[in-house]
Amino acid sequence: MDNKDLVLQAAGELFGDRDPAAVDRWVSPDYRQHSSLAADGPEALRGLVASLPVDFRYEGARVIADGDLVALHGTYHGFGPVPLVAFDLFRVADGKLAEHWDALTPVVAATVSERSQTDGPTTPSDLDRTEHNRALVAEFARRVLVGADYSVLTDYISTDRYDQHNPEAGDGLAGFGAAAAKWAEQGKELRYKTVHRVVAEGDLVLLQSEGEFGEPVAYWDLFRVADGRIVEHWDVITPVPASLPHGNGLF
């Protein structure tokens, strides 16, 4: 069983079957938690799983596997008053879930682009281009997101097609520009400070970053690359909590 299948099996038993005993089968005794929703260690995860309501379910959209890291993108239902779009990132070690990060945001029914926050291509393709695409997105993050050099934006993002899933932005560079101008008027300029992880499989590349968006936030950006340019974008932007139920930090 590869790491992608392992994470899918473990997540299915933990959050699909809501089986607390799955912790014993799939979770490392040294499980390290970064989520704001649970304390550290396997027993805290067991308590979380045991507390899930009967109508809880997870609707998966896509999975990205990169070495010992596996990222899930999907929607949680029954985890609160409204469905939550989520990125979950797991580190696998010795056949067990060893570490976990996540970011969640409410589902928005009416988006500017009329795309949902999770629709679009679901399976990584162009697997032989993984490292090229990783390098492209990492350089884009360094120069444009962190470096704020928007003069080189079209070196990385396609001018022909840029499908947008951020609920407040329209398609294309014009749609992104209009949204960025609106956010700036609201005092929410996009400021990326540090990119913590780049997770890539084929044409899909996920960035986990921290910065500011009117307040300290975690940025999770998923990009799809085609023909050497970014052509699609999904994201979750979530505030950095003032405190966490563990000492591991959000990142």
Side-chain angles (χ1 to χ4, degrees):
M1 181 181 296
D2 62 20
N3 286 341
K4 180 181 286 190
D5 289 338
L6 186 151
V7 168
L8 288 173
Q9 182 69 31
E13 293 183 21
L14 288 164
F15 301 109
D17 300 337
R18 306 189 310 280
D19 180 8
V23 171
D24 300 317
R25 295 189 291 273
W26 298 110
V27 179
S28 169
D30 301 319
Y31 185 68
R32 185 174 173 87
Q33 181 66 266
H34 296 270
S35 173
S36 63
L37 301 175
D40 212 16
E43 291 310 311
L45 180 59
R46 189 191 310 276
L48 175 65
V49 171
S51 72
L52 294 174
V54 294
D55 61 345
F56 176 87
R57 64 184 177 89
Y58 177 73
E59 181 183 358
R62 47 194 58 83
V63 186
I64 305 166
D66 184 2
D68 62 351
L69 297 176
V70 179
L72 306 180
H73 184 210
T75 306
Y76 288 106
H77 299 265
F79 209 14
V82 298
L84 298 170
V85 175
F87 284 106
D88 288 277
L89 181 62
F90 293 94
R91 181 174 62 84
V92 178
D94 300 322
K96 301 278 189 178
L97 305 183
E99 196 163 6
H100 172 248
W101 302 259
D102 66 6
L104 300 91
T105 194
V107 168
V108 176
T111 67
V112 174
S113 69
E114 299 184 351
R115 302 177 189 278
S116 84
Q117 289 154 279
T118 57
D119 64 1
T122 59
T123 304
S125 63
D126 300 331
L127 298 183
D128 60 325
R129 301 281 290 173
T130 295
E131 294 310 317
H132 178 275
N133 294 335
R134 184 201 308 275
L136 176 80
V137 173
E139 185 176 282
F140 165 73
R142 178 179 60 81
R143 297 185 67 188
V144 178
L145 298 181
V146 176
D149 182 2
Y150 290 96
S151 70
V152 297
L153 193 62
T154 56
D155 291 348
Y156 303 98
I157 296 181
S158 172
T159 57
D160 296 323
R161 177 179 183 179
Y162 184 49
D163 294 346
Q164 181 63 259
H165 298 268
N166 179 296
E168 298 183 19
D171 284 344
L173 289 174
F176 170 75
K182 180 180 177 181
W183 294 329
E185 290 175 359
Q186 299 170 346
K188 299 192 299 184
E189 292 188 24
L190 291 162
R191 293 180 180 173
Y192 286 71
K193 293 184 175 180
T194 305
V195 176
H196 288 277
R197 286 168 189 85
V198 182
V199 182
E201 184 181 9
D203 60 342
L204 297 178
V205 183
L206 174 67
L207 300 180
Q208 182 206 34
S209 312
E210 68 175 302
E212 295 181 358
F213 190 54
E215 61 183 334
V217 297
Y219 287 108
W220 291 64
D221 294 279
L222 177 60
F223 299 99
R224 184 169 66 86
V225 180
D227 299 322
R229 291 291 186 273
I230 295 168
V231 297
E232 194 158 9
H233 172 245
W234 301 260
D235 69 352
V236 167
I237 304 173
T238 185
V240 174
S243 61
L244 293 167
H246 49 72
N248 300 325
L250 199 65
F251 303 98

